[in-house]
Amino acid sequence: MPDAAGLYYETFGPDDAPPLILSSGLGGSASYWAPNIPALARHFRVITYDHRGTGRSDRALPARVTVADLAADMVTLLDHLSIDSADIVGHAAGGVAGLAVAMDHPQRVRRVVIVNGWVKADPHFLRCFAARLALLRHAGVEAFLKAQPIFLFPANWISVHDAALDAELPHQIAGFPGTATMEKRIAALASFDATEQIGNLADKTLVLVADDDMLVPARAGDTLAKALGGAPVARMGWGGHACNVTDAATFDTLVLDYLRS
């Protein structure tokens, strides 16, 4: 099993293609990117990984987790694979981690696509996570996971895919990283605030937002783009928080148009 200092990872596409790291959101699973890998791996050496504390990676975490820790793991992965610099596509947690790498290790990042991310936690985002934490603490893991699609996907998409979501639930329960780990990861995202240290990264950053994102409002992405010095914004009018899953074709086109430009 490929392992980089406790991080499980997978690679796809030609070994001699430009490297592209895909970093997922709160769930942390490399498998989150399954809908996008075929299109991206035609042009890049795609690297996916399970975040530390989740999936097949080392489940041990420090008492407090920060976005800087998530960023450090991405640098560890680059070092392990002897990659000087790479493109990064990060979704939510993975997006702010990619931003942290670009801020602290600019020489390691060619370009970064931040999907449904933020420079500072939005009030609506915090409200949603307070509700999700209440479910986890007082109703348990199954209730937390069963409610998760409400925050990730558009309502019509959930209705059409209800049976598939129910079929996936037992696997999600079996692979759940634990309440303590989830609380640490949520706390890291809620406390992230780069407003005082963010620099002008507009020339190497694309901010991608879904206008109907139920979890992270699109305005958070607009605020991030301005803070970056006027970074370009790619908008998906439909798709929800997990827009790369619900409309993979549009997502892949936007990402490839930017990374190959």
Side-chain angles (χ1 to χ4, degrees):
M1 185 173 75
D3 177 276
L7 295 172
Y8 172 86
Y9 69 92
E10 300 175 343
T11 61
F12 307 86
D15 288 341
D16 59 350
L20 170 62
I21 290 182
L22 304 181
S23 186
S24 58
L26 180 65
S29 174
S31 62
Y32 175 74
W33 298 101
N36 314 109
I37 289 171
L40 300 180
R42 285 198 288 269
H43 307 279
F44 293 91
R45 179 190 179 193
V46 173
I47 303 149
T48 63
Y49 68 104
D50 291 343
H51 287 198
R52 194 175 305 277
T54 75
R56 295 150 289 187
S57 290
D58 185 354
R59 292 294 186 97
L61 290 178
R64 179 173 180 265
V65 175
T66 66
V67 168
D69 294 327
L70 306 184
D73 278 340
M74 233 184 289
V75 174
T76 294
L77 189 58
L78 289 172
D79 290 342
H80 177 82
L81 294 169
S82 300
I83 296 172
D84 292 330
S85 65
D87 292 319
I88 297 172
V89 176
H91 178 261
V96 295
L99 172 60
V101 177
M103 290 191 300
D104 297 336
H105 306 276
Q107 74 282 4
R108 309 303 298 270
V109 180
R110 296 178 65 239
R111 287 157 301 186
V112 58
V113 180
I114 303 172
V115 184
N116 294 330
W118 57 92
V119 64
K120 179 181 179 180
D122 181 89
H124 175 76
F125 165 92
L126 295 174
R127 184 182 295 270
C128 288
F129 270 110
R132 295 178 73 183
L133 281 172
L135 277 172
L136 181 60
R137 292 165 179 162
H138 304 299
V141 171
E142 182 172 351
F144 174 84
L145 292 172
K146 195 167 181 62
Q148 184 167 259
I150 297 170
F151 299 95
L152 299 185
F153 307 118
N156 285 337
W157 192 94
I158 293 173
S159 181
V160 171
H161 295 85
D162 183 67
L165 292 171
D166 281 346
E168 181 63 21
L169 184 61
H171 303 288
Q172 293 177 336
I173 293 172
F176 189 70
T179 298
T181 290
M182 193 58 66
E183 293 213 20
K184 290 176 183 179
R185 287 174 60 78
I186 290 173
L189 303 184
S191 63
F192 179 73
D193 183 353
T195 52
E196 296 299 323
Q197 65 214 76
I198 198 168
N200 190 332
L201 298 171
D203 61 338
K204 65 192 311 180
T205 306
L206 174 69
V207 176
L208 194 156
V209 301
D211 283 325
D212 64 345
D213 188 342
M214 174 58 188
L215 183 60
V216 181
R219 68 186 298 272
D222 294 331
T223 300
L224 171 60
K226 290 177 183 176
L228 288 164
V233 178
R235 312 194 79 88
M236 292 179 63
W238 177 89
H241 188 63
C243 55
N244 61 298
V245 174
T246 54
D247 189 0
T250 298
F251 177 89
D252 295 342
T253 297
L254 291 171
V255 169
L256 286 171
D257 284 351
Y258 175 71
L259 293 182
R260 300 184 70 212
S261 65

